[in-house]
Amino acid sequence: TKNDTALLMEATKFIHTCYNELNLSKEEQINRIEEIQEEISNTGTYTHKGFELTHGAKMAWRNSNRCIGRLLWHTLDVFDERNTVTAEAAFEKFLNHIHYATNEGKIRPAITIFAPRKDGKDPIRIWNHQLIRYAGYEKEGKVIGDSTSIKLTKMCEQLGWRSDQTPYDVLPLVIQENGKVPKLFEIPKSFVKEVDITHPDLEGFNHLGVRWYAVPIISNMRLEIGGIDYPMAPFNGWYMETEIGARNLADQDRYNLLPEIAKLMGLDTKSNLSLWVDKALVELNIAVLHSYHQAGITLVDHHTAAKQFKSFEKNELENGRAVTGDWTWLIPPLSPATTHIFHQSYNHDIISPNYFYQDDPEE
Ligand code: HEM
Ligand SMILES: N=C(Nc1cccc(CNC[C@@H]2CCCN2)c1)c1cccs1
């Protein structure tokens, strides 16, 4: 059928690039494509071999236009959990991923890949945007916690979840097998590493009671490899400090801490001329870098990250690959013009394998 042909086209493109990069012979490539053609005509889809899945997930990271951290794309640890299809078993694997990635603070970039989409159906999905993320509550027009989690928090409460209603309640995992009701799974506190945010010089900082979690693990994106969709493939790296200090804790519609920080710094918040927002922003990011370093949690500053991205660009050129990128996301939100990224443009072509947004699981 037409989409069998389209799938074979995607598979052929992927096998060609993947086998060339792995120095496999032309003959192996041709035999594999014939094998895939056979499987597609018999079943309407095809199954990646382990090494194809592993390299495909790495290529997808390398092709992620918005990612500044791509220098280490080939070091990704890939866990093949395509046979895990029950919510309980998946929860086990999520805990394994959290523990492996955290590694007592020496974070290891990893991805766990669950069953692919088949006949347009997702065998299993997770509703969480990240495996570890704070709940958000709306009370009399005031927001407590992470405003981006309000919808999911409501869903958890409807499913029976009860919490302390603090700004830092870690959400349970909401895992849904196809066609069944979603199930809640509480992550044991011992698995959740968090960092108390303090400042090396500003004493007042330490009484704000501000904290953040150590490991960002994105769990709502779709991994596409050679025309096959993996709708549940959580992946983690480590944070760049600005994500926490210039967005999550700084945005007015997130934790909105800048006014409070400016006050404890004794700044004049009545006039923009004092650049009090900018001064508070810098000190918050200094506090994040200081706190994660003191806690022994891997974190990269935006200057180092930009330099690493420059090395990535050089490596790609040396390997005859064109770098694609999304300038609007690659520039850091703090002092962007102090990085090389700001002063050049990037081709924003989208190539596959890659990680894509997808619709939330079916209600
Ligand atoms: C190892 C350390 C890593 C660092 C420091 C890093 C840094 C970043 C940053 C700062 C962003 C922008 C996020 C935002 O502004 O919300 C980003 C985006 C992204 N990263 Fe990385 N990254 C790392 C590893 C990874 C890994 C291991 C993967 C996948 C295997 C990955 C895939 C992506 C994708 C797909 C996006 C775009 C997300 C979107 O469009 O919403 N990154 N990265
Ligand atoms: N450092 C990270 N940050 C990151 C990467 C991808 C996506 C996100 C979440 N981005 C969504 C937020 C909310 C809107 C704009 N940014 C964060 C990583 C997360 C997982 C691997 S690396």
Side-chain angles (χ1 to χ4, degrees):
T1 70
K2 198 168 70 62
N3 52 16
D4 281 5
T5 314
L7 179 56
L8 181 60
M9 284 274 290
E10 291 306 307
T12 305
K13 270 190 292 182
F14 167 64
I15 295 298
H16 179 73
T17 313
C18 176
Y19 279 48
N20 282 352
E21 291 185 9
L22 297 176
N23 299 318
L24 299 172
S25 72
K26 200 78 190 137
E27 193 191 0
E28 279 181 278
Q29 203 178 115
I30 290 165
N31 292 342
R32 180 59 179 135
I33 290 168
E34 280 167 7
E35 191 178 48
I36 288 173
Q37 181 165 20
E38 184 69 18
E39 193 179 348
I40 291 176
S41 61
N42 294 340
T43 71
T45 185
Y46 75 100
T47 307
H48 287 125
K49 294 186 183 306
F51 75 90
E52 294 166 348
L53 187 73
T54 296
H55 196 67
K58 295 180 180 185
M59 290 167 75
W61 179 10
R62 192 181 73 206
N63 293 332
S64 298
N65 286 357
R66 293 172 162 177
C67 182
I68 194 171
R70 288 180 273 171
L71 176 62
L72 299 176
W73 67 270
H74 57 285
T75 68
L76 182 69
D77 288 326
V78 181
F79 297 103
D80 179 357
E81 290 302 341
R82 286 177 285 172
N83 297 325
T84 301
V85 289
T86 71
E88 289 71 16
F91 176 59
E92 273 283 304
K93 305 304 176 190
F94 287 130
L95 291 184
N96 293 352
H97 187 125
I98 293 169
H99 190 254
Y100 180 86
T102 305
N103 189 30
E104 280 156 24
K106 193 159 179 29
I107 295 172
R108 295 180 282 203
I111 182 169
T112 301
I113 304 173
F114 292 86
R117 185 165 295 160
K118 195 165 168 51
D119 304 321
K121 286 213 289 297
D122 297 346
I124 185 166
R125 287 291 299 275
I126 182 169
W127 283 81
N128 305 65
H129 167 270
Q130 294 182 34
L131 296 190
I132 295 167
R133 222 182 188 204
Y134 297 125
Y137 313 91
E138 199 153 25
K139 292 230 170 353
E140 296 112 37
K142 271 172 54 58
V143 172
I144 295 170
D146 194 337
S147 59
T148 58
S149 297
I150 290 174
K151 182 185 159 224
L152 183 62
T153 305
K154 281 198 178 101
M155 180 177 175
C156 290
E157 290 175 327
Q158 278 156 5
L159 289 169
W161 189 58
R162 291 294 169 267
S163 67
D164 303 339
Q165 310 280 309
T166 79
Y168 304 104
D169 298 330
V170 175
L171 283 163
L173 298 185
V174 185
I175 307 171
Q176 182 169 22
E177 292 169 35
N178 192 279
K180 296 190 181 168
V181 294
K183 292 179 185 168
L184 291 187
F185 298 86
E186 198 71 48
I187 303 170
K189 272 203 70 55
S190 60
F191 279 78
V192 182
K193 199 127 180 82
E194 294 177 276
V195 181
D196 289 321
I197 306 300
T198 60
H199 191 285
D201 315 320
L202 298 171
E203 166 56 23
F205 237 92
N206 313 346
H207 310 295
L208 291 176
V210 173
R211 57 202 292 189
W212 203 255
Y213 53 91
V215 190
I217 313 172
I218 298 298
S219 46
N220 67 343
M221 293 187 86
R222 166 175 66 86
L223 165 59
E224 178 191 291
I225 301 173
I228 302 295
D229 291 325
Y230 295 94
M232 189 161 89
F235 59 83
N236 78 280
W238 48 79
Y239 267 118
M240 181 162 81
E241 105 283 8
T242 49
E243 298 181 75
I244 305 164
R247 300 301 311 277
N248 299 342
L249 296 178
D251 284 0
Q252 292 181 41
D253 65 349
R254 296 291 295 284
Y255 283 73
N256 187 29
L257 292 178
L258 298 183
E260 257 178 281
I261 291 167
K263 247 172 235 101
L264 75 84
M265 288 172 65
L267 300 177
D268 168 16
T269 58
K270 304 260 175 316
S271 154
N272 290 335
L273 298 178
S274 66
L275 292 189
W276 63 270
V277 166
D278 314 74
K279 285 187 164 184
L281 190 59
V282 167
E283 295 307 335
L284 178 51
N285 282 275
I286 286 170
V288 171
L289 285 165
H290 164 78
S291 307
Y292 274 65
H293 183 69
Q294 197 177 45
I297 311 285
T298 312
L299 180 79
V300 67
D301 68 85
H302 51 293
H303 302 292
T304 305
K307 284 196 181 65
Q308 290 165 346
F309 187 66
K310 182 76 183 164
S311 302
F312 169 70
E313 293 174 57
K314 186 167 170 286
N315 280 359
E316 291 306 286
L317 229 53
E318 282 163 5
N319 284 280
R321 291 188 292 262
V323 168
T324 57
D326 180 346
W327 186 90
T328 66
W329 277 57
L330 285 171
I331 55 167
L334 179 56
S335 316
T338 64
T339 72
H340 79 281
I341 299 169
F342 185 90
H343 301 279
Q344 68 178 72
S345 61
Y346 293 86
N347 166 15
H348 191 14
D349 285 349
I350 314 286
I351 59 177
S352 182
N354 215 316
Y355 297 97
F356 296 102
Y357 291 160
Q358 60 183 341
D359 293 338
D360 276 349
E362 280 312 300
E363 252 91 337

